[in-house]
Amino acid sequence: MKNSIRFLFFLLFFIACKKDSSETQPLDTEDSTALLVGKWRLYKDSIVNTDMYLYFADGFYWSPNAGVYIGKANDFYDFQSNGTLSLHENNQSYSFPYNLYQSRLVFPGQNVHDTAVIKKLTSLEARFEWKQTSYNGGKYYRRLYLTR
């Protein structure tokens, strides 16, 4: 009986210790570019700001507003083949360069949004995540969900 209990305990421990599949795997850059380029619909943009995350831009310190924004019909992210992202979100439009590396999307000079980890990229879905810590210990987390 003791051996049966030990075996059951060992089995449960072994099953509970499986590898975490949420880690980002490196993507092939050529395939990723083919998947990324084009117009995407914004599904959701989620920001968490803990302990007053701050970043410096235009001569001032800024703190991103936390919250969840659900995309509207006219919101989009358009990744162009020339390395330019044009986007319209929450009645604001922007355009800036981007670089695509294996599992990262880099927006040079964009302060808090400079490097995103590509968590998912298929022909129909994309998910990007940002994690930053500011000089004062504040933490910034963002998840961007796009669909086609």
Side-chain angles (χ1 to χ4, degrees), residues 76-125:
F76 66 85
Y77 279 65
D78 188 4
F79 292 91
Q80 299 165 18
S81 60
N82 66 359
T84 301
L85 169 63
S86 297
L87 70 93
H88 182 83
E89 180 176 342
N90 199 15
N91 297 318
Q92 298 180 13
S93 296
Y94 304 95
S95 182
F96 42 82
Y98 74 90
N99 296 308
L100 180 63
Y101 302 101
Q102 288 185 333
S103 59
R104 297 177 299 129
L105 193 56
V106 177
F107 303 98
Q110 292 303 310
N111 297 313
V112 70
H113 306 122
D114 65 348
T115 302
V117 175
I118 301 170
K119 292 301 221 176
K120 184 172 192 174
L121 183 57
T122 68
S123 60
L124 298 176
E125 290 181 75

Side-chain angles (χ1 to χ4, degrees), residues 26 33 37 63-65 67 71 74 97 101 103 118 125 128 137 145:
T33 300
V37 169
S63 181
N65 292 328
N74 64 339
Y101 302 101
S103 59
I118 301 170
E125 290 181 75
F128 309 108
Y145 300 83

Side-chain angles (χ1 to χ4, degrees), residues 128-144:
F128 309 108
E129 293 185 3
W130 288 260
K131 293 180 185 179
Q132 303 277 351
T133 301
S134 63
Y135 73 94
N136 66 344
K139 299 204 182 295
Y140 170 85
Y141 304 97
R142 179 180 182 197
R143 283 192 179 143
L144 181 67

Side-chain angles (χ1 to χ4, degrees), residues 39-43 69-77 88-91:
K39 200 167 189 177
W40 294 81
R41 186 178 81 78
L42 172 64
Y43 173 69
Y69 177 76
I70 303 299
K72 307 287 189 263
N74 64 339
D75 292 331
F76 66 85
Y77 279 65
H88 182 83
E89 180 176 342
N90 199 15
N91 297 318

